[in-house]
Amino acid sequence: TCALPIFKAAVPQQKPEAFLRNIAAGMDADTLDRLKQITRPTLVVWGQNDKLFPAAYAEKWGKGIPGSLVEIIPECGHVPAIEKPEITAKEIIRQYAGTR
């Protein structure tokens, strides 16, 4: 599923240079060592086919956040909440309800 049409409808157009700066900032930010400071229950939700930040990042986040759970949404790109809202909501509700 391609999220581009959804993004175009939901998000104001961003200048290409601003988009590239955002991507560069995300790629340059190395905050994995600070993840252990997160002490609240955490569900890491990631798209299996995320081209900006591959699913391997989700595993790193999951290992870095104590007690976290990782859910990789199949056939999904960068924004699971928009691309696969039903599956994303189901995973969040399951986590919140503690039914795992």
Side-chain angles (χ1 to χ4, degrees), residues 11 16 32 36 44 59 67 70-71 78-79 83 87 95 99:
V11 180
L32 289 176
K36 63 183 175 276
V44 177
E59 299 301 329
V70 176
E71 289 295 334
H78 185 62
V79 189
E83 296 174 52
I87 296 171
Q95 168 65 14
T99 59

Side-chain angles (χ1 to χ4, degrees), residues 6 13 31 52:
I6 298 168
Q13 289 295 314
T31 56
L52 294 174

Side-chain angles (χ1 to χ4, degrees), residues 3-54:
L4 188 58
I6 298 168
F7 278 123
K8 284 185 174 185
V11 180
Q13 289 295 314
Q14 186 178 40
K15 293 182 180 181
E17 58 273 12
F19 176 76
L20 292 174
R21 283 195 308 269
N22 285 339
I23 297 300
M27 299 300 277
D28 290 341
D30 186 5
T31 56
L32 289 176
D33 61 329
R34 294 181 12 205
L35 292 175
K36 63 183 175 276
Q37 297 173 7
I38 299 173
T39 59
R40 304 296 296 169
T42 302
L43 175 63
V44 177
V45 178
W46 217 276
Q48 177 186 31
N49 301 328
D50 189 332
K51 293 194 182 336
L52 294 174
F53 298 99

